[in-house]
Short mmCIF file of all heavy atoms in Angstrom, two decimals:
data_model
loop_
_atom_site.label_atom_id
_atom_site.label_comp_id
_atom_site.label_asym_id
_atom_site.label_seq_id
_atom_site.Cartn_x
_atom_site.Cartn_y
_atom_site.Cartn_z
N GLY A 1439 -2.87 -7.31 34.71
CA GLY A 1439 -3.87 -8.32 34.42
C GLY A 1439 -5.30 -7.83 34.40
O GLY A 1439 -6.23 -8.63 34.26
N PHE A 1440 -5.49 -6.52 34.48
CA PHE A 1440 -6.84 -5.98 34.59
C PHE A 1440 -7.12 -4.91 33.54
O PHE A 1440 -6.26 -4.08 33.22
CB PHE A 1440 -7.06 -5.38 35.98
CG PHE A 1440 -7.15 -6.42 37.06
CD1 PHE A 1440 -6.01 -6.92 37.65
CD2 PHE A 1440 -8.38 -6.90 37.47
CE1 PHE A 1440 -6.08 -7.90 38.64
CE2 PHE A 1440 -8.47 -7.87 38.45
CZ PHE A 1440 -7.32 -8.37 39.04
N VAL A 1441 -8.35 -4.94 33.05
CA VAL A 1441 -8.87 -3.86 32.21
C VAL A 1441 -8.91 -2.57 33.04
O VAL A 1441 -9.25 -2.60 34.23
CB VAL A 1441 -10.28 -4.22 31.72
CG1 VAL A 1441 -10.95 -3.03 31.04
CG2 VAL A 1441 -10.23 -5.42 30.78
N MET A 1442 -8.57 -1.46 32.40
CA MET A 1442 -8.63 -0.16 33.06
C MET A 1442 -9.55 0.77 32.28
O MET A 1442 -9.70 0.63 31.05
CB MET A 1442 -7.24 0.46 33.16
CG MET A 1442 -6.29 -0.27 34.09
SD MET A 1442 -6.83 -0.26 35.82
CE MET A 1442 -6.78 1.50 36.18
N ARG A 1443 -10.14 1.72 32.96
CA ARG A 1443 -11.15 2.56 32.34
C ARG A 1443 -11.03 3.99 32.87
O ARG A 1443 -10.74 4.18 34.05
CB ARG A 1443 -12.52 1.97 32.66
CG ARG A 1443 -13.68 2.54 31.93
CD ARG A 1443 -14.90 1.64 32.13
NE ARG A 1443 -14.88 0.51 31.21
CZ ARG A 1443 -15.68 -0.54 31.31
NH1 ARG A 1443 -16.53 -0.63 32.33
NH2 ARG A 1443 -15.62 -1.51 30.43
N TRP A 1444 -11.25 4.96 31.99
CA TRP A 1444 -11.42 6.35 32.39
C TRP A 1444 -12.90 6.69 32.31
O TRP A 1444 -13.59 6.34 31.34
CB TRP A 1444 -10.64 7.29 31.48
CG TRP A 1444 -9.18 7.38 31.78
CD1 TRP A 1444 -8.16 6.73 31.14
CD2 TRP A 1444 -8.56 8.19 32.78
NE1 TRP A 1444 -6.96 7.07 31.70
CE2 TRP A 1444 -7.17 7.97 32.70
CE3 TRP A 1444 -9.04 9.07 33.75
CZ2 TRP A 1444 -6.25 8.60 33.56
CZ3 TRP A 1444 -8.14 9.70 34.58
CH2 TRP A 1444 -6.77 9.47 34.49
N TYR A 1445 -13.36 7.41 33.33
CA TYR A 1445 -14.72 7.90 33.39
C TYR A 1445 -14.67 9.42 33.56
O TYR A 1445 -13.63 9.97 33.91
CB TYR A 1445 -15.46 7.35 34.62
CG TYR A 1445 -15.55 5.86 34.73
CD1 TYR A 1445 -14.46 5.10 35.16
CD2 TYR A 1445 -16.74 5.20 34.45
CE1 TYR A 1445 -14.56 3.73 35.29
CE2 TYR A 1445 -16.85 3.82 34.58
CZ TYR A 1445 -15.76 3.10 35.01
OH TYR A 1445 -15.85 1.73 35.14
N ARG A 1446 -15.79 10.07 33.36
CA ARG A 1446 -15.90 11.49 33.71
C ARG A 1446 -17.31 11.78 34.21
O ARG A 1446 -18.26 11.08 33.87
CB ARG A 1446 -15.57 12.38 32.52
CG ARG A 1446 -16.54 12.33 31.36
CD ARG A 1446 -16.01 13.16 30.21
NE ARG A 1446 -16.91 13.14 29.06
CZ ARG A 1446 -16.61 13.66 27.87
NH1 ARG A 1446 -15.44 14.26 27.68
NH2 ARG A 1446 -17.49 13.61 26.89
N GLN A 1447 -17.37 12.82 35.03
CA GLN A 1447 -18.66 13.24 35.56
C GLN A 1447 -18.72 14.76 35.53
O GLN A 1447 -17.96 15.44 36.23
CB GLN A 1447 -18.87 12.74 36.99
CG GLN A 1447 -20.25 13.03 37.53
CD GLN A 1447 -20.57 12.27 38.80
OE1 GLN A 1447 -19.69 11.77 39.49
NE2 GLN A 1447 -21.84 12.14 39.11
N ALA A 1448 -19.59 15.26 34.69
CA ALA A 1448 -19.82 16.69 34.61
C ALA A 1448 -20.84 17.09 35.67
O ALA A 1448 -21.66 16.28 36.09
CB ALA A 1448 -20.31 17.07 33.22
N SER A 1449 -20.80 18.34 36.06
CA SER A 1449 -21.71 18.83 37.09
C SER A 1449 -23.16 18.60 36.67
O SER A 1449 -23.56 18.97 35.56
CB SER A 1449 -21.45 20.31 37.33
OG SER A 1449 -22.31 20.82 38.31
N GLY A 1450 -23.93 17.96 37.55
CA GLY A 1450 -25.33 17.72 37.26
C GLY A 1450 -25.60 16.54 36.35
O GLY A 1450 -26.75 16.31 35.96
N HIS A 1451 -24.57 15.78 36.01
CA HIS A 1451 -24.72 14.63 35.13
C HIS A 1451 -24.21 13.36 35.81
O HIS A 1451 -23.47 13.42 36.78
CB HIS A 1451 -23.94 14.85 33.82
CG HIS A 1451 -24.51 15.91 32.95
ND1 HIS A 1451 -24.34 17.25 33.19
CD2 HIS A 1451 -25.24 15.83 31.81
CE1 HIS A 1451 -24.95 17.95 32.27
NE2 HIS A 1451 -25.51 17.12 31.41
N GLU A 1452 -24.63 12.22 35.28
CA GLU A 1452 -24.13 10.94 35.78
C GLU A 1452 -22.72 10.68 35.25
O GLU A 1452 -22.32 11.21 34.22
CB GLU A 1452 -25.07 9.81 35.33
CG GLU A 1452 -26.44 9.86 35.98
CD GLU A 1452 -27.28 8.65 35.68
OE1 GLU A 1452 -26.83 7.78 34.90
OE2 GLU A 1452 -28.40 8.55 36.21
N ARG A 1453 -22.00 9.85 36.00
CA ARG A 1453 -20.68 9.45 35.56
C ARG A 1453 -20.79 8.61 34.29
O ARG A 1453 -21.69 7.76 34.17
CB ARG A 1453 -20.01 8.64 36.67
CG ARG A 1453 -18.52 8.44 36.51
CD ARG A 1453 -17.92 7.85 37.77
NE ARG A 1453 -18.06 8.76 38.91
CZ ARG A 1453 -17.60 8.49 40.12
NH1 ARG A 1453 -17.00 7.35 40.37
NH2 ARG A 1453 -17.76 9.35 41.10
N GLU A 1454 -19.89 8.85 33.33
CA GLU A 1454 -19.94 8.12 32.07
C GLU A 1454 -18.56 7.57 31.73
O GLU A 1454 -17.53 8.13 32.11
CB GLU A 1454 -20.42 9.02 30.94
CG GLU A 1454 -19.53 10.20 30.64
CD GLU A 1454 -19.99 11.02 29.43
OE1 GLU A 1454 -20.94 10.61 28.74
OE2 GLU A 1454 -19.37 12.07 29.18
N VAL A 1455 -18.57 6.47 30.98
CA VAL A 1455 -17.32 5.86 30.52
C VAL A 1455 -16.78 6.67 29.35
O VAL A 1455 -17.50 6.97 28.40
CB VAL A 1455 -17.54 4.40 30.10
CG1 VAL A 1455 -16.25 3.81 29.55
CG2 VAL A 1455 -18.04 3.57 31.28
N VAL A 1456 -15.50 7.00 29.43
CA VAL A 1456 -14.84 7.75 28.36
C VAL A 1456 -14.02 6.81 27.47
O VAL A 1456 -14.11 6.87 26.25
CB VAL A 1456 -13.93 8.83 28.96
CG1 VAL A 1456 -13.14 9.53 27.87
CG2 VAL A 1456 -14.74 9.83 29.76
N ALA A 1457 -13.20 5.97 28.11
CA ALA A 1457 -12.32 5.09 27.36
C ALA A 1457 -11.96 3.89 28.22
O ALA A 1457 -11.89 3.99 29.44
CB ALA A 1457 -11.05 5.82 26.94
N THR A 1458 -11.71 2.78 27.53
CA THR A 1458 -11.36 1.52 28.18
C THR A 1458 -10.13 0.95 27.49
O THR A 1458 -10.02 1.03 26.26
CB THR A 1458 -12.51 0.52 28.06
OG1 THR A 1458 -13.70 1.07 28.65
CG2 THR A 1458 -12.18 -0.80 28.76
N ILE A 1459 -9.22 0.39 28.28
CA ILE A 1459 -8.05 -0.28 27.69
C ILE A 1459 -7.97 -1.70 28.21
O ILE A 1459 -8.02 -1.95 29.41
CB ILE A 1459 -6.76 0.53 27.95
CG1 ILE A 1459 -5.59 -0.10 27.17
CG2 ILE A 1459 -6.44 0.64 29.44
CD1 ILE A 1459 -4.39 0.83 27.04
N ALA A 1460 -7.86 -2.62 27.27
CA ALA A 1460 -7.74 -4.03 27.62
C ALA A 1460 -6.33 -4.35 28.09
O ALA A 1460 -5.42 -3.52 28.00
CB ALA A 1460 -8.10 -4.87 26.39
N THR A 1461 -6.16 -5.57 28.58
CA THR A 1461 -4.84 -5.96 29.06
C THR A 1461 -3.82 -6.03 27.92
O THR A 1461 -2.62 -5.86 28.15
CB THR A 1461 -4.90 -7.32 29.76
OG1 THR A 1461 -5.48 -8.28 28.87
CG2 THR A 1461 -5.76 -7.25 31.03
N ASN A 1462 -4.30 -6.20 26.68
CA ASN A 1462 -3.37 -6.24 25.54
C ASN A 1462 -3.12 -4.85 24.95
O ASN A 1462 -2.44 -4.72 23.94
CB ASN A 1462 -3.89 -7.18 24.46
CG ASN A 1462 -5.17 -6.70 23.81
OD1 ASN A 1462 -5.71 -5.65 24.16
ND2 ASN A 1462 -5.68 -7.47 22.86
N GLY A 1463 -3.67 -3.83 25.58
CA GLY A 1463 -3.42 -2.46 25.13
C GLY A 1463 -4.44 -1.92 24.15
O GLY A 1463 -4.33 -0.76 23.73
N THR A 1464 -5.42 -2.70 23.79
CA THR A 1464 -6.45 -2.24 22.86
C THR A 1464 -7.39 -1.28 23.56
O THR A 1464 -7.92 -1.58 24.63
CB THR A 1464 -7.25 -3.43 22.31
OG1 THR A 1464 -6.35 -4.31 21.62
CG2 THR A 1464 -8.32 -2.95 21.34
N GLY A 1465 -7.62 -0.11 22.93
CA GLY A 1465 -8.49 0.90 23.50
C GLY A 1465 -9.82 1.00 22.79
O GLY A 1465 -9.90 0.80 21.58
N THR A 1466 -10.86 1.30 23.54
CA THR A 1466 -12.18 1.60 22.97
C THR A 1466 -12.66 2.90 23.58
O THR A 1466 -12.26 3.25 24.72
CB THR A 1466 -13.20 0.48 23.23
OG1 THR A 1466 -13.28 0.25 24.65
CG2 THR A 1466 -12.79 -0.81 22.54
N TYR A 1467 -13.53 3.63 22.84
CA TYR A 1467 -13.85 4.99 23.22
C TYR A 1467 -15.33 5.29 23.08
O TYR A 1467 -16.02 4.73 22.23
CB TYR A 1467 -13.07 5.96 22.32
CG TYR A 1467 -11.58 5.74 22.40
CD1 TYR A 1467 -10.93 4.87 21.53
CD2 TYR A 1467 -10.82 6.41 23.35
CE1 TYR A 1467 -9.57 4.65 21.63
CE2 TYR A 1467 -9.46 6.21 23.45
CZ TYR A 1467 -8.84 5.32 22.58
OH TYR A 1467 -7.49 5.10 22.69
N ALA A 1468 -15.78 6.22 23.93
CA ALA A 1468 -17.11 6.77 23.75
C ALA A 1468 -17.14 7.55 22.43
O ALA A 1468 -16.13 8.13 22.02
CB ALA A 1468 -17.46 7.69 24.91
N ASP A 1469 -18.29 7.55 21.77
CA ASP A 1469 -18.39 8.25 20.49
C ASP A 1469 -18.02 9.72 20.62
O ASP A 1469 -17.45 10.31 19.68
CB ASP A 1469 -19.82 8.13 19.95
CG ASP A 1469 -20.14 6.74 19.43
OD1 ASP A 1469 -19.19 5.95 19.21
OD2 ASP A 1469 -21.33 6.43 19.26
N SER A 1470 -18.31 10.32 21.76
CA SER A 1470 -18.07 11.75 21.94
C SER A 1470 -16.60 12.13 21.96
O SER A 1470 -16.26 13.31 21.77
CB SER A 1470 -18.74 12.23 23.23
OG SER A 1470 -18.24 11.50 24.35
N VAL A 1471 -15.72 11.15 22.20
CA VAL A 1471 -14.29 11.47 22.28
C VAL A 1471 -13.46 10.74 21.23
O VAL A 1471 -12.25 10.96 21.13
CB VAL A 1471 -13.72 11.14 23.68
CG1 VAL A 1471 -14.55 11.83 24.77
CG2 VAL A 1471 -13.64 9.64 23.93
N LYS A 1472 -14.09 9.90 20.45
CA LYS A 1472 -13.38 9.10 19.45
C LYS A 1472 -12.65 10.01 18.48
O LYS A 1472 -13.21 10.99 17.98
CB LYS A 1472 -14.38 8.21 18.71
CG LYS A 1472 -13.80 6.94 18.14
CD LYS A 1472 -14.89 6.01 17.63
CE LYS A 1472 -15.71 5.43 18.75
NZ LYS A 1472 -16.73 4.46 18.28
N GLY A 1473 -11.38 9.70 18.24
CA GLY A 1473 -10.57 10.50 17.33
C GLY A 1473 -9.86 11.67 18.01
O GLY A 1473 -8.99 12.29 17.42
#
């Protein structure tokens, strides 16, 4: 019943959102990883 998200944090950088998946399975992506 919950949206899930992957994040990443590189050394010396803030944590950023990489990808999100809705409860229906639809995924959205950061431009840097799309495709």
Side-chain angles (χ1 to χ4, degrees):
F1440 289 85
V1441 170
M1442 293 296 297
R1443 190 167 278 168
W1444 281 99
Y1445 302 77
R1446 67 185 180 188
Q1447 186 167 19
S1449 180
H1451 291 77
E1452 292 188 356
R1453 195 170 296 181
E1454 63 175 354
V1455 176
V1456 175
T1458 302
I1459 187 164
T1461 55
N1462 66 0
T1464 300
T1466 56
Y1467 302 90
D1469 287 345
S1470 58
V1471 306
K1472 207 170 290 184

